């Protein structure tokens, strides 16, 4: 087997993002070892009406250049074909924003 094949790469900011999402009250399942384009996280949360939602999250390291944050071919294929909610985030601020979007907003 070639060196580095099937090696799970975890973005440097993943642990911090997981910690923040859990502190905010989300359930977090780490999927980064699944591979084959599967996003890094599955989070579960409840909206203001108590309805439960699941969101797949692909994490990219916001400190890296835009070319290094591009989705891989497998990730892009996943996003192109997935029928549920899946997003890409690259920072704690984006994770907080994603979590807060489930709440009612006064303005659009």
């Amino acid at each position: 087997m070639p060196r580095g094949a099937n090696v799970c790469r975890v973005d440097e900011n993943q642990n911090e993002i997981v910690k923040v999402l859990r502190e905010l009250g989300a359930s977090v399942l780490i999927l980064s070892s699944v591979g084959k384009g599967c996003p890094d996280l599955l989070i579960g949360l409840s909206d203001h009406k108590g309805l439960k939602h699941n969101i797949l999250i692909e994490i990219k390291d916001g400190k890296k250049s835009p070319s290094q944050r591009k989705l891989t071919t497998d990730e892009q294929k996943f996003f192109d074909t997935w029928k549920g909610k899946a997003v890409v985030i690259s920072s704690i601020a984006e994770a907080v924003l994603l979590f807060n979007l489930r709440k009612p907003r006064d303005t659009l």
Side-chain angles (χ1 to χ4, degrees):
M1 182 179 310
R3 186 178 177 154
N6 295 325
V7 173
C8 168
R9 282 184 263 151
V10 175
D11 290 285
E12 276 189 42
N13 54 346
Q14 179 172 303
N15 289 337
E16 294 171 347
I17 288 172
V18 167
K19 181 181 177 194
V20 167
L21 287 168
R22 287 181 173 152
E23 287 173 353
L24 289 169
S27 300
V28 180
L29 178 63
I30 299 171
L31 302 172
S32 48
S33 64
V34 172
K36 299 185 181 190
C38 181
D40 298 313
L41 306 176
L42 172 63
I43 67 165
L45 44 84
S46 298
D47 65 17
H48 66 285
K49 294 181 181 177
L51 299 174
K52 296 181 179 184
H53 302 275
N54 295 306
I55 304 171
L56 287 164
I57 300 175
E58 175 60 33
I59 296 174
K60 295 296 180 185
D61 189 340
K63 295 177 185 172
K64 292 186 176 181
S65 69
S67 64
Q68 291 177 307
R69 288 180 289 183
K70 286 178 65 174
L71 294 175
T72 65
T73 301
D74 284 343
E75 290 168 346
Q76 188 62 59
K77 183 177 178 181
F78 182 93
F79 273 82
D80 289 346
T81 59
W82 187 252
K83 296 187 187 327
K85 179 75 172 175
V87 299
V88 178
I89 63 172
S90 58
S91 67
I92 290 173
E94 290 177 351
V96 171
L97 178 63
L98 175 67
F99 185 85
N100 288 334
L101 286 177
R102 80 202 193 328
K103 295 180 180 177
R105 290 174 273 158
D106 293 330
T107 59
L108 294 177

